[in-house]
Each structure stands twice: as structure tokens, then as C-alpha cells.
Amino acid sequence: MAPTRSGNRRTRVHVVSDVHGNARDLARAGDGADALICLGDLVLFLDYADHSRGIFPDLFGKENADRIVELRTARRFEEARAFGARLWAGIGSDRATAIEKAVRKQYAEMFAAFPTPTYATYGNVDMPPLWREYAEPGTTVLDGERVEIGGWTFGFVGGGLRTPMRTPYEIDDEEYAAKIEAVGEVDVLCTHIPPEVPELVYDTVARRFERGSRALLDSIRRTRPRYSLFGHVHQPLVRRMRIGATECVNVGHFAGTGRPWALEW
């Protein structure tokens, strides 16, 4: 990474989200930047583009992964949940142990790939209790907190809101709103999920609306940050739009593209 800049020199940060196991490209994501920002979803539980990749097919095989993707894509969530429950029943009381072991393996690889400095927050498929165990000194984990980079203030809010998918780090709307409120006025508001705007939350491949945050949208309108940066929606209808004075940007599906989004000022 480039050395930290000061005085009249410009600052450049690279931003990634939805890494989902792409450690190879993550190791190069900070090249040429003063800092890397990661907006979460390091874990690859199931790759919807390649059903042979991820924790689920490692445990249950590709055919079962094909089936659960088919059910979820059709929004048959109750059937998907029942199908998954039957598979997990075969593992029995070892389910939590098996998941944690697989996640730990991925986290060891992901966190080792982070350059210094990295500022990161959680995605909805992440397991926050494990992050501080794997975060090395050059990685700062933030959730409902602020940090200064190059003279600008960045606020971070991680996680997602409750959905029928029941991913690991989904929280109540009120808890999420409290974290948004705690961040307050910032230059750049960094979240995993987007504000609740139809064009930003609709996934054109999955053909469904993901959950965005109304509290985030209200905060953008009220506090007017320069930028709102987020991920979560892998193939959004719109990747970038203005809300008042704020440029709202989906920084991209890093697992698929391997390319960070760049911000320079």
C-alpha cells in the first residue's frame, strides 16, 4: 500500500464488500491506496454462481446445494428451511461445531490477506464474535463507530436486518437504527446494506428485493454525508445514485469482480 499521505497530498482509499472467500484478490485490493475499507461478508457459505463452492456444499455436496439454491431463488423459503433442517439433522449436535470450524478456516485466510491499514465492518453472513480473534494489528474493526482517514470522518455500521434467510448477523431495525444514530454526522457513511431505495435493493439476478435500511435512508437525508458506501446486493438494478447531496454507491460484488472501488480526495 502507499504510505499515509498528509498536507496537500491527495488521499485514496479502496473499498470492497461481499468478499465471500476471494482471498487471492483481497491480498491485492489495497495496492496503490492509503487504506482499504471492507464492508463485510467475508464468509462464503454458498456460491450462487458456482454451487460447488462454500461451506454448504463442502458439508452436503453440490446436488443438495443445487436444490437449496433452487428453492431460495423461487422464494420458497419455508421449503428451503425444511430441506436444510433435514440435512443438518444428519450432523446432529455437531452442527455449530462444524460451522464454526469452517468459518474459522475462512477467516484465517481472509484476515491474513488484509493489507495495513484496513478498516472493516461486518456483513450479514459474518460471525462478529470471531473477528477480533483474527484481526491483526493493522486491521481496525468498527460497528456503530467512526474513524478519521485523510482528514475525512468515516462512520461504520455492520450487519443486516431480519429476513427469512436468517443469516448469522441479522439484527432488529431498532438496534440497527441506534448504531446509525451513534455514528452521527460523517463525511462517508460505510454500511453493509444499502438505504431502503427500490433501485438500490433490487437484485436483478436473484429477482428479489433485498432488505435495505429506512434508518440509513433517513440519516442520509438528515446528515447529508458526501458519500454512502455499501454492498450486499450483488447485482443491483442501479449501482449509483444521488440522494440529495449524497452520492450513494454500491461498491460491487468483490467475490465476482476481484476489483475494489476507489475513492480519492
Side-chain angles (χ1 to χ4, degrees):
M1 300 185 76
T4 302
R5 303 177 183 185
S6 59
N8 294 324
R9 300 183 65 190
R10 296 182 68 80
T11 299
R12 180 183 178 94
V13 298
H14 288 173
V15 190
V16 300
S17 185
D18 300 271
V19 177
H20 295 302
N22 189 352
R24 181 193 61 189
D25 291 321
L26 185 62
R28 301 190 295 266
D31 290 354
D34 296 290
L36 179 71
I37 289 174
C38 179
L39 303 181
D41 272 10
L42 299 182
V43 172
L44 178 61
F45 192 77
L46 176 57
D47 188 335
Y48 278 60
D50 180 355
H51 304 168
S52 67
R53 297 181 64 242
I55 294 171
F56 190 92
D58 285 350
L59 291 173
F60 303 117
K62 182 179 180 298
E63 289 187 4
N64 286 324
D66 290 340
R67 178 57 177 162
I68 204 160
V69 168
E70 178 187 3
L71 291 171
R72 288 178 174 177
T73 301
R75 301 186 64 81
R76 293 157 60 184
F77 294 119
E78 290 300 326
E79 290 179 65
R81 193 171 298 117
F83 177 71
R86 290 195 296 272
L87 295 176
W88 285 111
I91 293 180
S93 60
D94 291 334
R95 172 176 178 168
T97 302
I99 292 175
E100 183 172 322
K101 180 180 179 180
V103 170
R104 283 183 176 277
K105 181 180 178 181
Q106 291 190 14
Y107 276 169
E109 188 177 11
M110 295 296 105
F111 279 93
F114 276 143
T116 297
T118 291
Y119 302 92
T121 196
Y122 317 112
N124 60 292
V125 302
D126 285 311
M127 298 177 67
L130 298 181
W131 273 43
R132 297 190 187 278
E133 183 175 337
Y134 287 93
E136 298 179 359
T139 298
T140 303
V141 178
L142 302 131
D143 190 15
E145 299 164 282
R146 301 148 57 105
V147 69
E148 184 178 307
I149 306 172
W152 280 15
T153 303
F154 287 69
F156 291 78
V157 174
L161 298 173
R162 304 286 184 196
T163 72
M165 303 288 280
R166 298 183 183 178
T167 51
Y169 191 42
E170 294 181 356
I171 61 177
D172 293 334
D173 289 54
E174 294 78 13
E175 182 180 351
Y176 193 89
K179 292 195 294 185
I180 292 287
E181 185 68 23
V183 165
E185 295 186 13
V186 295
D187 293 294
V188 184
L189 190 48
C190 300
T191 58
H192 178 68
I193 63 174
E196 191 181 71
V197 177
E199 295 88 344
L200 297 176
V201 300
Y202 185 73
D203 191 305
T204 60
V205 174
R207 301 191 305 277
R208 65 170 180 259
F209 289 97
E210 303 290 354
R211 282 216 65 187
S213 169
R214 181 71 190 188
L216 173 57
L217 177 60
D218 291 344
S219 178
I220 290 168
R221 288 172 170 164
R222 185 178 67 255
T223 66
R224 300 164 60 89
R226 300 172 191 261
Y227 289 89
S228 166
L229 307 180
F230 47 86
H232 186 55
V233 182
H234 293 179
Q235 299 91 14
L237 186 63
V238 172
R239 293 195 176 276
R240 187 167 185 157
M241 69 184 297
R242 292 193 71 83
I243 298 177
T246 303
E247 189 75 12
C248 299
V249 182
N250 184 318
V251 301
H253 178 222
F254 187 77
T257 68
R259 297 188 303 273
W261 185 80
L263 175 62
E264 190 169 340
W265 67 96

